[in-house]
């Protein structure tokens, strides 16, 4: 099912005005990626980039091409682990988030 433009605009507007929402969306994106749900996680990262950094600035920060970033982060994108780590690090820095993995008990 395609996401409507209205939904995208709503999410991006909320990210721009609500820093805590942006941080929560970042966490959800990372969790989705770690669970193998890239079709859900990558678009969340795109929203954060559109609202916070811009693809042009992310390209400058990461040294990756702007068009390559667009391809990597589309719903069917397939970024390498190295590139994804670089992208995540840049977004986290922009949001003032320190990324840390903790072990949790399995259910």
């Amino acid at each position: 099912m395609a996401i409507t433009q209205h939904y995208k605009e709503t999410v991006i507007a909320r990210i721009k005005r609500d820093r805590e929402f942006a941080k929560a969306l970042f966490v959800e994106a990372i969790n989705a990626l770690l669970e193998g749900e890239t079709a859900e996680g990558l678009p969340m990262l795109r929203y954060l980039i559109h609202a916070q950094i811009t693809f042009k600035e992310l390209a400058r920060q990461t040294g990756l091409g702007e068009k390559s970033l667009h391809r990597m982060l589309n719903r069917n994108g397939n970024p390498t682990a190295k590139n994804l780590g670089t992208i995540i690090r840049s977004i986290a820095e922009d949001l003032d988030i320190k990324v840390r993995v903790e072990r949790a008990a399995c259910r």
Side-chain angles (χ1 to χ4, degrees):
M1 175 157 96
I3 297 174
T4 65
Q5 188 63 29
H6 178 71
Y7 175 80
K8 291 176 186 177
E9 291 172 1
T10 301
V11 172
I12 290 170
R14 175 87 188 267
I15 293 167
K16 287 181 178 181
R17 74 173 185 272
D18 186 347
R19 192 80 162 168
E20 291 307 310
F21 176 78
K23 289 178 179 183
L25 186 64
F26 177 78
V27 170
E28 287 303 313
I30 300 305
N31 284 332
L33 293 171
L34 290 173
E35 291 172 8
E37 297 179 10
T38 55
E40 288 74 28
L42 293 175
M44 287 184 231
L45 293 179
R46 280 182 76 90
Y47 295 150
L48 289 163
I49 294 163
H50 280 298
Q52 296 286 323
I53 302 174
T54 75
F55 276 90
K56 184 176 184 174
E57 177 60 19
L58 183 63
R60 188 193 66 73
Q61 289 177 7
T62 62
L64 301 169
E66 190 174 343
K67 287 185 179 186
S68 295
L69 288 167
H70 279 282
R71 281 192 300 273
M72 282 185 248
L73 295 172
N74 79 33
R75 187 171 184 81
N76 297 313
N78 191 19
T80 64
K82 179 180 178 181
N83 288 343
L84 188 57
T86 301
I87 293 164
I88 288 170
R89 186 172 37 257
S90 288
I91 296 170
E93 286 175 5
D94 184 67
L95 292 171
D96 296 321
I97 294 174
K98 182 176 181 177
V99 179
R100 184 179 74 208
V101 177
E102 292 183 6
R103 190 185 76 168
C106 294
R107 298 179 204 184

